[in-house]
Amino acid sequence: MNRFQSWGRFPKAEQDIHAMRWKDGMLPDTGEKSVLPFGLGRSYGDSCLNNGQSLVETSGLNRFIAFDENAGTLCCEAGVPLDEILKLVVPKGWFLPTTPGTKFITVGGAIANDIHGKNHHVAGTFGCHVKAFELLRSDGSRTRCTPRTNSVLFKATIGGLGLTGLITWAEFRLKKINNAWIEMESIKFEGIGEFMKLSRESDQDWEYTVSWIDCAARGKAFARGIFMRGNHAPASVMSRKVHAEPKLTTPFNCPNMMLNSFSIKAFNTVYYSKQRAKKVRARTHYDPFFYPLDAVNEWNRIYGRRGFFQYQFVVPFEGGSETMEKILEKITVSKQGSFLSVIKTFGDKKSPGMLSFPKPGITLALDFPNRGKSTTQLFDDLDQIVDSAGGSVYPAKDARMSPDFFQKAYPQWEAFSEFIDPQFSSSFWRRVTAQA
């Protein structure tokens, strides 16, 4: 497979590849071509692509610089994956301050996309825990950015989609834990109303909350799902065993005919029915709790050669339940449902980045097989609903939103543009700013 593509494998892109192997190195001379940092390619759309231009591969920036085991701070090069960080810090009693649904992203990518996780209502985004980083610009300058030093460039770079320059290293705070285990509860719910009730009840006592929701069911089963909440296990559990490497791999691109309304509905029904009781309590290792899909390498190949889209949006709490029901109704009618649909709430901890996605409200993430025009037309319809509710779509997951929608949802984009490095660009940015 071509490693230099997005996780959704759409759109296709042709790019020159240049490697960055050491934090003290210089950016490559690409002539008149623009550049864009590229980590492990886990962005779903085109924010990590630079079609017709150049990518700077950062996987060689993979060295740890300093780990303060007492204070719980880590400094490392920007290409270090979260996977490797967990192997280092969990045995010492520390964990990531927040983490997305995959551990196979780099620290630079976590900052550039200001990633969020199941504990947003408690911890905010990854950027909230960054103490400092160095930014290498195309003129050769190196700038140390912190919340107080070069603070505006600090804010532009967090959530800045890799456009302000190349992050060479970063320092951030970790979270203290006793062990590698999570005490969790899994609760079935019927409808958005019950989901919201569970969310409100869980926010105070549970650090991690997230839900799977059935986006294919209709009638009495409409918007049913499974609410999952967890806390790090107490000190009485002493094991700090780290995760194992994935043992399974998707060996080939699945035929597109496998991904149809019948198979999607059947999967959703089985997934909901596998838990028989209303509530289940369990103790589980952090790996399956945070990273269930990481158990299978290249799972994106199940969507076939055409690839797939992930559509993630957030809408404010006010009117949010009604908006979610409208969107789920639109999806069920279209018969283009998602196998794995994840719904959760964002808290009110403000993200530090100018273009950071999370804000207080309800967020839903859905995967859709790429069926061409019928799929993009559905997204256009969903955009209208999200826009009317005052919401926005996550740039790291997007491959097709219009310039008008992006610029309305992110009105600070023009102020952010002043901090873009003159030689840096991306397919996403040219698209949403209507550049040729």
Side-chain angles (χ1 to χ4, degrees), residues 142-263:
R142 293 175 181 270
T143 305
R144 184 176 185 271
C145 301
T146 78
R148 294 184 179 179
T149 305
N150 299 306
S151 59
V152 182
L153 190 55
F154 180 85
K155 294 176 182 178
T157 302
I158 294 176
L161 305 171
L163 296 170
T164 61
L166 177 70
I167 301 170
T168 58
W169 58 262
E171 182 182 10
F172 56 94
R173 291 179 290 272
L174 300 166
K175 174 181 174 55
K176 186 66 178 174
I177 58 172
N178 295 304
N179 50 69
W181 296 85
I182 300 291
E183 303 280 7
M184 66 167 291
E185 291 185 352
S186 181
I187 307 166
K188 283 186 168 183
F189 64 83
E190 305 294 335
I192 297 297
E194 189 175 0
F195 160 77
M196 290 301 299
K197 182 174 181 291
L198 284 167
S199 295
R200 289 189 295 268
E201 292 173 351
S202 303
D203 278 356
Q204 274 195 323
D205 298 326
W206 297 86
E207 182 165 3
Y208 303 104
T209 61
V210 71
S211 299
W212 166 85
I213 191 167
D214 188 340
C215 67
R218 306 195 68 180
K220 293 182 179 180
F222 178 72
R224 64 185 178 181
I226 300 175
F227 189 97
M228 290 157 278
R229 56 194 186 187
N231 288 322
H232 291 281
S236 58
V237 182
M238 292 307 297
S239 172
R240 292 179 180 172
K241 181 181 178 181
V242 299
H243 58 274
E245 296 302 311
K247 295 180 180 180
L248 301 175
T249 298
T250 307
F252 53 82
N253 295 310
C254 294
N256 292 108
M257 67 176 60
M258 290 177 58
L259 306 172
N260 54 59
S261 59
F262 299 104
S263 61

Side-chain angles (χ1 to χ4, degrees), residues 115-136:
I115 57 97
H116 56 272
K118 297 176 175 66
N119 62 343
H120 183 273
H121 61 288
V122 174
T125 63
F126 193 87
C128 295
H129 306 273
V130 174
K131 298 184 67 177
F133 56 78
E134 181 183 74
L135 197 64
L136 173 61

Side-chain angles (χ1 to χ4, degrees), residues 7 25 58 65 84 91 102 107 118 134 136 176 196 211-212 224 241 263 293 296 315 325 342 361 368 372 400 433:
W7 192 244
T58 64
I65 299 171
E84 294 299 322
T102 177
V107 169
K118 297 176 175 66
E134 181 183 74
L136 173 61
K176 186 66 178 174
M196 290 301 299
S211 299
W212 166 85
R224 64 185 178 181
K241 181 181 178 181
S263 61
L293 292 177
V296 182
V315 292
E325 289 175 351
V342 177
F368 291 87
R400 35 62 53 198
T433 56

Side-chain angles (χ1 to χ4, degrees), residues 300-411:
N300 55 343
R301 300 182 74 175
I302 68 171
Y303 287 96
R305 295 186 181 279
R306 294 181 185 175
F308 71 104
F309 297 92
Q310 183 166 114
Y311 187 88
Q312 182 173 5
F313 66 92
V314 60
V315 292
F317 284 118
E318 185 176 357
S321 296
E322 294 78 9
T323 300
M324 283 292 167
E325 289 175 351
K326 283 183 184 178
I327 285 175
L328 288 169
E329 179 65 27
K330 177 70 71 172
I331 293 168
T332 56
V333 169
S334 76
K335 297 183 178 180
Q336 294 191 68
S338 172
F339 283 104
L340 293 172
S341 303
V342 177
I343 186 171
K344 74 174 300 314
T345 56
F346 285 144
D348 58 6
K349 189 162 186 176
K350 185 174 176 56
S351 301
M354 288 186 183
L355 293 183
S356 293
F357 165 67
K359 60 183 178 182
I362 315 170
T363 181
L364 177 64
L366 313 103
D367 293 342
F368 291 87
N370 179 11
R371 298 179 182 172
K373 187 174 181 180
S374 63
T375 306
T376 56
Q377 181 58 59
L378 171 63
F379 294 154
D380 289 343
D381 295 341
L382 299 183
D383 283 352
Q384 292 183 18
I385 300 173
V386 174
D387 182 23
S388 297
S392 56
V393 167
Y394 193 11
K397 306 290 181 72
D398 176 66
R400 35 62 53 198
M401 80 169 121
S402 70
D404 287 345
F405 183 36
F406 171 78
Q407 293 171 27
K408 183 177 180 182
Y410 295 89

